[in-house]
Amino acid sequence: MDLKSHKADFPIFKNLPGLVYLDSTATSLKPRFTTDKLMEYYTQYSANVFRGVYKISEKATEEYEETRKVVAEFINAKRIEEVIFTRSTTESLNLVAYSMGRKIINEGDEVVTSVMEHHSNFVTWQQLALENGATFKVIDVTDEGYLNLGLDSGQVIIPLGTGMTLNLDNIITKKTKILALTYLSNVLGTINPLKEIIQAAKKINPKLIVVIDAAQAIPHMKVDVQDLGADFLSFSSHKMLGPTGVGVLWGKYELLDEMFPFNYGGEMIQEVYIDKTIFKHPPHKFEAGTPHIAGVIALKEAVRYLERIGMDKIRQHEKEMVDYTLKKFQITFGKKIRVLGPKEVKDRGGIVSFTFGNYHAHDIAQILDEENICIRAGHHCAMPLHQRLGISASARASFYLYNSFEDVDKLVRGLKKVENTLK
Amino acid sequence: MSIYQEIILEHYKNPHNFGTIKDPTKKTSVSNPLCGDEIEMEIVFKKNKVSEIMFKGQGCAISQASASILTDFASGKSKDDLKKLDKNFMTKLLGIELGPNRIKCALLPLEALHKLI
């Protein structure tokens, strides 16, 4: 992969030449195509969408709806109307819990998620279950960092892409109304074999609603929502080179159409009377109020940029980055570094979370920052997972298309400084 | 300036007043679940003054060094003196500038001390 030319597309590296950015899991950096497009909207046609019968409003609307089409094609949605713009992955997940969850969850039902979830895909379902008297079930992880879809024999690891048939009788029942899972863990890096899981789960209960948190998957690998077989899938613009403040919810049209609206207000109504309101159909039913117009418009430039480079190339690059990092860690620090998550590079995304001796993650991150190396330290919005792993915090380095082996070398040198300072 | 100054690192690696007291007047524990810092603190008062103070804990260098330095300072001080201590005092005592996230680590031992008086 020709890194130099990609790195040149990110103005931040011109402004901060020594920057080693290893926190793309938190948010990605922005290429000039994204920022140029934001500026284009604000300087050339900064009108509201849908309402105006004048040229610049029509232009803004056209650009806004064009992003819907580009995103729909990017994830292979069946219909453009299945793409809804929200504020974030978090809001997308909450939208499903509120508009679908409230409609279908009753006392005695089951809501299932896993212990490797980000809080947004954990607390949302935990609270939905608590509020409605449903049972909240949490799938465990194995010590290796895979979902523990244990059969009678205990731990079962499902290698990716094997098309293996699963038995989920111990997890999914006829009472399970919602299964919410991450595609790619933001701590362990584990890529879950979703297609196999969804097939097996829906075999037990065909009415089961499957909600996927794809915030860490969409920016880094090819995702095909029709092939996966899920019902809802959420992700964020800012993690995939787009602007902050925009999230996407994809959902099957028939489900979206029958759900409760999320926010009431302008733009989501067809007709309003004193005694009743008729709502619009998806997607506008879920997009009340003036949206983040510039953000949505600029998101498509991020998607087009990713497509020009190629998702398979990005995935391959990140695999090489992780492979290099794991080897470097092993050679330099041996057992002093404990890497969380699967050992197999093919089963994980571009994320390496670790503990280092008995040094606290915040000290590690702070000393690395003295060398202009940005990593994340803490529980990464996954407290249940850290409790499960028996640690209070971890350090996390994560990669994207603008990272190079040189960044890893600098990280390793930085970690040696951490060792020298704190030992 | 690095926050990992020699004095901080010294207290982190070889903390003063680290351990427990046999018959403390009072003991308490505080924690910051966000980063996993934990401090247990025990104290003996004689005539309203600190005659003995010890702590145990785990966490980052800043929280542990801060506990060591603060317990040194607190020995022999009166309750009224200690009640006055605040964020500004701690920053001066440690002699380092801490950002909004790390200042919480430095203040955790003070929270424990305030619970004891």
Side-chain angles (χ1 to χ4, degrees):
Chain A
M1 188 156 161
D2 182 10
L3 272 167
K4 284 228 170 75
S5 66
H6 297 319
K7 214 165 173 175
D9 293 331
F10 291 78
I12 198 167
F13 291 116
K14 257 179 228 136
N15 298 324
L16 303 168
L19 181 70
V20 178
Y21 187 73
L22 300 176
D23 199 15
S24 294
T25 298
T27 196
S28 69
L29 302 176
K30 315 302 172 204
R32 61 190 159 86
F33 308 101
T34 298
T35 49
D36 286 354
K37 195 72 181 178
L38 282 170
M39 197 54 102
E40 180 190 292
Y41 165 74
Y42 284 122
T43 54
Q44 293 182 32
Y45 47 90
S46 64
N48 212 329
V49 283
F50 305 122
R51 275 153 241 185
V53 281
Y54 46 87
K55 285 190 282 300
I56 59 169
S57 173
E58 280 163 6
K59 167 72 173 165
T61 306
E62 189 189 304
E63 288 277 352
Y64 184 89
E65 287 302 319
E66 175 77 11
T67 299
R68 203 185 304 278
K69 186 166 165 261
V70 168
V71 169
E73 282 167 9
F74 185 59
I75 60 174
N76 193 29
K78 205 171 174 182
R79 296 176 63 166
I80 295 167
E81 296 86 351
E82 293 180 332
V83 171
I84 292 155
F85 295 119
T86 63
R87 281 189 305 144
S88 56
T89 303
T90 301
E91 190 175 79
S92 298
L93 293 165
N94 276 271
L95 191 162
V96 179
Y98 185 84
S99 300
M100 173 59 96
R102 276 192 318 151
K103 194 156 191 166
I104 61 168
I105 298 293
N106 295 303
E107 215 174 307
D109 287 340
E110 293 170 355
V111 179
V112 180
T113 185
S114 88
V115 79
M116 70 161 75
E117 303 304 317
H118 185 284
H119 292 157
S120 61
N121 203 30
F122 190 91
V123 182
T124 310
W125 308 112
Q126 177 196 57
Q127 294 303 310
L128 176 72
L130 282 174
E131 284 163 13
N132 294 283
T135 306
F136 182 56
K137 282 163 81 176
V138 180
I139 303 172
D140 195 14
V141 292
T142 66
D143 291 337
E144 270 239 290
Y146 293 92
L147 278 181
N148 189 347
L149 304 166
L151 307 178
D152 303 337
S153 55
Q155 296 184 354
V156 176
I157 292 162
I158 294 63
L160 280 174
T162 53
M164 190 173 139
T165 314
L166 287 177
N167 179 346
L168 297 180
D169 284 348
N170 292 340
I171 297 164
I172 305 296
T173 73
K174 291 250 189 273
K175 283 184 186 169
T176 313
K177 291 275 176 77
I178 291 175
L179 169 64
L181 285 177
T182 183
Y183 203 152
L184 200 166
S185 160
N186 72 317
V187 178
L188 301 166
T190 315
I191 301 171
N192 289 321
L194 286 185
K195 195 176 169 182
E196 288 84 351
I197 292 173
I198 294 168
Q199 263 173 12
K202 291 214 169 192
K203 207 169 161 189
I204 297 168
N205 182 3
K207 283 185 178 164
L208 175 75
I209 299 291
V210 180
V211 187
I212 301 304
D213 170 4
Q216 302 300 345
I218 289 277
H220 304 278
M221 57 195 270
K222 207 166 177 30
V223 174
D224 180 331
V225 292
Q226 291 191 63
D227 184 55
L228 268 187
D231 298 292
F232 295 96
L233 185 134
S234 316
F235 54 98
S236 292
S237 155
H238 73 97
K239 291 190 202 289
M240 55 190 295
L241 313 180
T244 58
V246 178
V248 173
L249 172 66
W250 166 85
K252 282 184 180 157
Y253 189 86
E254 312 76 65
L255 295 174
L256 291 170
D257 205 28
E258 72 189 31
M259 278 154 66
F260 293 132
F262 185 42
N263 290 321
Y264 298 103
E267 215 42 68
M268 53 83 64
I269 50 88
Q270 212 147 30
E271 296 161 54
V272 181
Y273 303 94
I274 298 284
D275 60 340
K276 66 170 181 184
T277 296
I278 299 165
F279 305 117
K280 276 189 182 158
H281 291 289
H284 298 110
K285 173 181 166 185
F286 298 102
E287 292 180 10
T290 296
H292 184 1
I293 303 169
V296 170
I297 286 174
L299 168 59
K300 68 171 161 290
E301 294 307 319
V303 173
R304 283 172 175 157
Y305 181 70
L306 288 171
E307 280 179 327
R308 280 202 296 279
I309 293 167
M311 295 311 292
D312 291 339
K313 266 194 184 162
I314 291 170
R315 170 86 184 111
Q316 182 57 32
H317 173 65
E318 289 176 16
K319 274 206 264 188
E320 286 166 17
M321 292 294 297
V322 170
D323 187 49
Y324 184 72
T325 307
L326 297 184
K327 281 179 182 148
K328 269 274 189 180
F329 275 8
Q330 174 62 32
I331 292 165
T332 321
F333 303 106
K335 284 192 175 146
K336 197 166 179 183
I337 281 192
R338 173 191 169 197
V339 172
L340 310 178
K343 288 192 177 62
E344 290 283 338
V345 171
K346 68 172 177 53
D347 294 344
R348 60 190 300 154
I351 296 171
V352 179
S353 297
F354 59 95
T355 59
F356 184 28
N358 58 357
Y359 311 134
H360 195 279
H362 283 175
D363 291 325
I364 298 171
Q366 187 115 34
I367 293 170
L368 290 174
D369 180 50
E370 291 172 6
E371 306 299 311
N372 289 324
I373 301 168
C374 310
I375 66 154
R376 180 77 184 265
H379 52 59
H380 324 303
C381 297
M383 278 181 94
L385 176 63
H386 280 78
Q387 287 157 10
R388 166 64 182 80
L389 299 171
I391 50 179
S392 60
S394 60
R396 180 184 72 194
S398 55
F399 308 114
Y400 213 174
L401 52 105
Y402 35 69
N403 292 116
S404 61
F405 291 157
E406 199 190 334
D407 291 339
V408 179
D409 293 340
K410 284 180 181 165
L411 172 66
V412 169
R413 279 204 293 279
L415 289 172
K416 278 187 198 157
K417 182 183 169 186
V418 170
E419 200 173 30
N420 288 333
T421 307
L422 298 178
K423 80 176 173 199
Chain B
M1 186 180 81
S2 169
I3 61 169
Y4 298 95
Q5 296 298 304
E6 206 150 316
I7 176 131
I8 300 288
L9 291 171
E10 249 176 57
H11 279 273
Y12 166 60
K13 290 168 190 172
N14 301 299
H16 302 179
N17 315 308
F18 194 86
T20 51
I21 300 170
K22 204 177 167 198
D23 287 310
T25 315
K26 218 173 168 186
K27 58 180 181 179
T28 191
S29 65
V30 291
S31 67
N32 182 352
L34 281 178
C35 54
D37 291 341
E38 287 169 18
I39 304 272
E40 286 171 47
M41 204 175 271
E42 303 184 351
I43 203 158
V44 178
F45 289 109
K46 273 184 187 153
K47 288 180 190 168
N48 248 351
K49 283 189 175 172
V50 179
S51 76
E52 224 184 333
I53 181 164
M54 298 284 267
F55 83 98
K56 274 181 92 171
Q58 53 177 345
C60 70
I62 302 305
S63 69
Q64 302 304 302
S66 170
S68 173
I69 294 169
L70 179 65
T71 47
D72 266 359
F73 175 86
S75 297
K77 298 284 190 303
S78 72
K79 282 188 183 179
D80 286 342
D81 285 341
L82 297 177
K83 270 180 198 158
K84 287 182 214 151
L85 306 186
D86 59 5
K87 186 173 147 186
N88 286 339
F89 168 81
M90 287 305 291
T91 309
K92 275 184 208 145
L93 184 70
L94 299 178
I96 51 174
E97 295 224 358
L98 291 164
N101 283 320
R102 296 310 296 279
I103 191 77
K104 290 176 201 149
C105 313
L107 293 180
L108 193 63
L110 184 63
E111 187 190 329
L113 183 63
H114 279 162
K115 280 174 84 175
L116 292 173
I117 55 180

